[in-house]
Amino acid sequence: MATKKPRRTAERILEVTLDLFNRFGEPNVSTTLISAELGISPGNLYYHYPAKDELINALFNRYDKSLSELLGAVGNVRNVEDAWLFFHMLFELIWQHRFLYRDLNDLLSKNRKLETHFQHVLEQKTQAMVGLLGGLQASGALTMQVREAVPTANAMVVLLSYWLSYEYVRDPRNALEPERAGEALMRGAFHVLGLLLPYLEPGSRDHLFQLAGKYQPQAGGTT
């Protein structure tokens, strides 16, 4: 029987660090805590990642790669159901790396790489949203003037970027707990797609409310 190869230490360090950052917030997690959680010496941790910023940058690089791949699929969005699935996957990816968004302003003020690279993330998202609107327009799912596309795309990106902060304000003690992920993801998808309600043709608008299902009343009740 073949034995499973042990995970490389560097990869395991990133996995544990991501979990701790997500649970407690990056400012509240020290390298000493990470070492203790892993059961390794601080020296072993420093061998792989000599500074905390290197851990943050490595996790951001993984997120950025996955984000680019996902945003590249925006060309396949042709109807409301495609858009619903796309945003659910996008919010799921953000949730998996929620420490970046939970502590975004603090991270940007301390980390030069994130300060510059997160601007690129915003540009990527904006271009993807413009492409998504174009796809829905081409399929007849929505009607929107050309001059309305960029402001709408920007508003969608603002929601994507600060959705977790909104969720946190709603329920600071529980909002970012793993068991809340499902409802939070659905609310996020509906909040973003809700920006398109004035532009969706009636059938697509009705279909969006059907897809939102039981999550729509909660979202509507908090906006």
Side-chain angles (χ1 to χ4, degrees):
M1 183 176 180
T3 57
K4 189 175 181 180
K5 290 184 178 180
R7 288 176 296 172
R8 293 172 50 221
T9 302
E11 180 182 344
R12 183 166 164 259
I13 289 172
L14 287 182
E15 290 175 0
V16 170
T17 300
L18 178 61
D19 179 62
L20 291 173
F21 281 176
N22 283 339
R23 284 163 56 195
F24 303 115
E26 178 274 330
N28 302 314
V29 176
S30 65
T31 53
T32 301
L33 176 59
I34 296 170
S35 299
E37 187 74 11
L38 284 158
I40 63 176
S41 68
N44 197 356
L45 176 64
Y46 296 148
Y47 173 78
H48 295 281
Y49 299 99
K52 189 177 177 183
D53 270 358
E54 295 200 22
L55 285 164
I56 295 169
N57 292 341
L59 290 170
F60 173 78
N61 289 340
R62 295 204 314 185
Y63 165 71
D64 192 35
K65 181 176 183 294
S66 296
L67 179 66
S68 296
E69 292 173 356
L70 179 55
L71 294 181
V74 75
N76 298 323
V77 176
R78 287 292 179 267
N79 54 53
V80 164
E81 191 155 352
D82 291 341
W84 179 260
L85 176 61
F86 174 80
F87 280 113
H88 184 80
M89 294 173 65
L90 183 52
F91 275 117
E92 191 172 54
L93 179 63
I94 291 172
W95 179 270
Q96 290 167 357
H97 300 81
R98 57 192 177 277
F99 84 93
L100 289 168
Y101 291 85
R102 170 179 176 161
D103 306 305
L104 180 57
N105 291 354
D106 182 66
L107 282 170
L108 295 183
S109 69
K110 298 186 301 185
N111 187 302
R112 177 60 179 167
K113 177 176 179 177
L114 261 62
E115 179 185 349
T116 56
H117 282 64
F118 231 96
Q119 294 174 14
H120 176 62
V121 167
L122 293 181
E123 292 172 3
Q124 277 187 301
K125 288 180 181 176
T126 302
Q127 292 172 7
M129 296 306 104
V130 170
L132 180 142
L133 295 175
L136 293 175
Q137 174 103 347
S139 69
L142 64 74
T143 301
M144 176 179 285
Q145 295 182 22
V146 173
R147 66 182 182 178
E148 296 171 319
V150 171
T152 302
N154 285 334
M156 295 168 82
V157 172
V158 170
L159 271 177
L160 286 167
S161 300
Y162 290 98
W163 157 73
L164 278 181
S165 295
Y166 174 74
E167 287 285 331
Y168 183 78
V169 171
R170 290 178 73 250
D171 187 5
R173 293 182 180 274
N174 302 299
L176 302 185
E177 295 301 316
E179 60 270 18
R180 295 296 185 94
E183 291 184 15
L185 293 175
M186 293 294 183
R187 275 197 298 269
F190 184 79
H191 282 165
V192 175
L193 286 172
L195 293 171
L196 306 185
L197 288 173
Y199 308 103
L200 291 173
E201 55 88 17
S204 294
R205 188 181 304 121
D206 290 341
H207 190 41
L208 174 57
F209 280 106
Q210 291 171 4
L211 289 168
K214 65 178 181 179
Y215 299 102
Q216 188 275 324
Q218 286 94 319
T222 58
T223 54

